């Protein structure tokens, strides 16, 4: 049972602007707020370019935010990740790991699988000796469903699904607490996606992991997530229990995301939404979804809707619901 009062990560007022020059300003993230509960899979969904991956990189302290804080809670103590540097950040990276979209490019093709999984143990000086590290690699390979003989193979000798299993083993060998999965199954064949999602679920149970699961595909996110946040052009527009949103999406953008909805075990289709998102630079006032929303009113063009909590525990940023 998830305890809402036991967060592992708080994203607080995160904003990020990219400015090439004064005429070319992009609001990548605008005042993003949510918390991730210890032990849950929290899904972040939205079209490509909506800011999901930028947020993931800010959480990992790989790029700087212009405003806001990322608070990681360790042993009851709050740590602002964005204030960490050097050794302190390196130490925290043991706890927070990343599984990337593309197993073809995230794994060094010149190294054997055994070395790739063992390398994080060497970097972080884990294991009394090499024999112990080898044993840990064998156990991790077994956990992700690969025989220990895979240690002697090169990535090019593996299928896409097997390579993603190796990427998961590399991320989990340090026994992290919090894992960011950024489009972790998007590069895989549809038939392999469910297998990898099931593996991630099994590993979550076995290791007590918390996930931030990022995808453009609402079906994939719904399949694995306890709660979901829907992002559009750098803003959260709907957030709540996965089942609640999956059964009854309310925000016009979330509804559009579901327009091509099919079961994860069937074929997974891309999002169908008419038109391209507008320039992020133009979105200084009004609703972020106004230019593509069939319910857009005068108020939507001038007043930004705030994320408001509904009776079913979800939050939604839309004037249609803010007027209740
Ligand atoms: Fe559509 Fe207005 Fe709601 Fe925005 S606030 S999603 S434009 S109805």
């Amino acid at each position: 049972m998830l305890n809402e009062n036991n967060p592992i990560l708080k994203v607080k007022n995160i904003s990020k602007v990219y400015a090439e020059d004064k005429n070319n300003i992009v609001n990548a993230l605008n005042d993003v707020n949510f918390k991730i509960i210890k032990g849950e899979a929290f899904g972040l969904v939205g079209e490509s370019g909506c800011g999901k991956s930028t947020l993931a990189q800010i959480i990992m302290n790989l790029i700087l935010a212009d405003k806001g804080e990322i608070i990681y809670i360790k042993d009851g103590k709050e740590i602002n990740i964005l204030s960490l540097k050097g050794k302190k950040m390196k130490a925290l990276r043991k706890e927070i790991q990343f599984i990337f979209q593309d197993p073809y490019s995230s794994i060094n093709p010149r190294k054997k699988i055994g070395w790739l999984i063992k390398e994080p143990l060497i970097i972080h000086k884990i294991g009394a000796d090499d024999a112990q590290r080898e044993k840990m690699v064998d156990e991790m390979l077994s956990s992700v469903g690969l025989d220990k003989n895979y240690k002697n193979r090169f990535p090019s000798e593996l299928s896409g699904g097997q390579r993603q299993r190796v990427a998961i083993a590399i991320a989990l060998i340090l026994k992290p607490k919090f894992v960011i999965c950024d489009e972790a199954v998007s590069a895989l064949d549809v038939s392999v996606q469910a297998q990898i999602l099931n593996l991630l679920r099994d590993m979550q149970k076995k290791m007590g992991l918390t996930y931030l699961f990022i995808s453009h595909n609402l079906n994939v996110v719904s399949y694995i997530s306890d709660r979901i946040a829907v992002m559009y052009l750098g803003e959260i527009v709907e957030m709540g229990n996965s089942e609640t949103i999956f059964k009854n999406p309310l925000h016009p953008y979330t509804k559009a995301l579901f327009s091509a909805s099919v079961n994860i075990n069937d074929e997974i289709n891309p999002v169908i939404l008419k038109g391209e998102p507008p320039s992020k630079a133009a979105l200084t006032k009004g609703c972020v979804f106004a230019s593509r929303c069939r319910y857009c009113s005068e108020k939507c063009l001038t007043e930004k809707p705030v994320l408001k909590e509904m009776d079913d525990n979800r939050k939604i940023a839309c004037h249609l619901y803010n007027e209740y």
Side-chain angles (χ1 to χ4, degrees):
M1 186 74 180
L2 296 171
N3 177 0
E4 284 208 19
N5 297 318
N6 191 15
I8 192 168
L9 192 93
K10 295 184 200 169
V11 173
K12 296 174 84 173
N13 309 108
I14 290 291
S15 294
K16 176 76 182 170
V17 172
Y18 290 109
E20 284 180 21
D21 55 60
K22 65 178 181 178
N23 297 317
N24 197 2
I25 296 169
V26 173
N27 291 298
L29 295 167
N30 187 18
D31 203 24
V32 175
N33 283 283
F34 59 83
K35 64 182 177 184
I36 299 179
I37 300 163
K38 198 170 181 188
E40 78 169 331
F42 184 88
L44 185 60
V45 69
E47 290 170 286
S48 298
C50 74
K52 310 180 299 291
S53 295
T54 301
L55 181 60
Q57 289 178 64
I58 288 173
I59 292 172
M60 289 291 284
N61 207 358
L62 297 174
I63 57 175
L64 290 174
D66 297 325
K67 206 185 104 196
E69 294 180 327
I70 304 289
I71 305 293
Y72 180 77
I73 295 105
K74 184 180 179 186
D75 303 327
K77 199 178 150 208
E78 296 202 342
I79 302 165
N80 183 6
I81 292 180
L82 305 187
S83 70
L84 297 182
K85 292 195 177 93
K87 281 183 185 167
K88 284 187 178 168
M89 190 61 223
K90 184 182 168 191
L92 196 67
R93 284 206 203 284
K94 271 194 286 187
E95 302 238 343
I96 305 176
Q97 288 290 310
F98 217 105
I99 298 171
F100 295 95
Q101 173 179 4
D102 184 2
Y104 296 89
S105 62
S106 63
I107 293 175
N108 186 339
R110 294 195 198 90
K111 301 285 186 186
K112 287 186 176 173
I113 301 304
W115 169 262
L116 290 167
I117 300 173
K118 190 166 66 172
E119 191 181 24
L121 297 174
I122 297 168
I123 291 171
H124 288 277
K125 299 185 174 59
I126 294 171
D129 52 30
D130 201 53
Q132 194 181 30
R133 285 191 277 270
E134 286 291 331
K135 190 163 172 275
M136 292 162 84
V137 171
D138 291 351
E139 286 169 359
M140 183 49 73
L141 274 170
S142 164
S143 293
V144 299
L146 294 174
D147 188 90
K148 64 181 177 184
N149 293 331
Y150 277 80
K151 280 197 297 187
N152 297 317
R153 298 194 192 181
F154 286 98
S156 59
E157 297 174 73
L158 274 55
S159 69
Q162 287 169 335
R163 266 187 275 218
Q164 198 59 312
R165 286 176 191 271
V166 171
I168 292 168
I170 294 168
L172 301 188
I173 191 74
L174 294 175
K175 297 191 170 63
K177 301 277 188 296
F178 180 64
V179 181
I180 301 173
C181 305
D182 189 4
E183 301 282 6
V185 298
S186 302
L188 302 174
D189 290 344
V190 170
S191 58
V192 182
Q193 288 186 347
Q195 291 171 23
I196 297 299
L197 289 173
N198 287 334
L199 171 63
L200 287 168
R201 261 188 179 173
D202 292 346
M203 297 307 287
Q204 184 187 22
K205 272 192 211 141
K206 193 170 164 185
M207 298 178 68
L209 299 169
T210 304
Y211 288 139
L212 170 57
F213 199 92
I214 296 172
S215 177
H216 67 279
N217 191 311
L218 192 48
N219 290 297
V220 167
V221 169
S222 300
Y223 186 72
I224 198 163
S225 305
D226 300 288
R227 292 188 304 134
I228 291 176
V230 181
M231 183 177 263
Y232 184 76
L233 287 188
E235 296 186 15
I236 303 288
V237 296
E238 187 164 4
M239 178 162 56
N241 183 282
S242 175
E243 209 182 327
T244 307
I245 294 181
F246 195 74
K247 278 189 184 155
N248 183 26
L250 290 182
H251 193 282
Y253 176 61
T254 317
K255 283 183 177 173
L257 281 183
F258 271 103
S259 63
S261 175
V262 289
N263 191 284
I264 181 74
N265 293 312
D266 300 325
E267 190 179 350
I268 296 169
N269 291 328
V271 169
I272 296 174
L273 189 64
K274 285 181 184 164
E276 291 295 317
S279 160
K280 292 181 182 180
L283 302 168
T284 50
K285 58 181 182 177
C287 172
V288 75
F289 190 55
S291 68
R292 297 167 94 188
C293 180
R294 57 196 280 225
Y295 306 104
C296 182
S297 66
E298 198 64 36
K299 184 178 180 183
C300 302
L301 297 172
T302 53
E303 254 182 66
K304 190 174 275 299
V306 293
L307 261 182
K308 187 186 167 192
E309 186 140 6
M310 310 286 288
D311 291 344
D312 58 4
N313 221 13
R314 89 173 84 192
K315 288 183 177 173
I316 185 162
C318 174
H319 290 310
L320 294 176
Y321 304 97
N322 280 195
E323 280 162 9
Y324 280 171

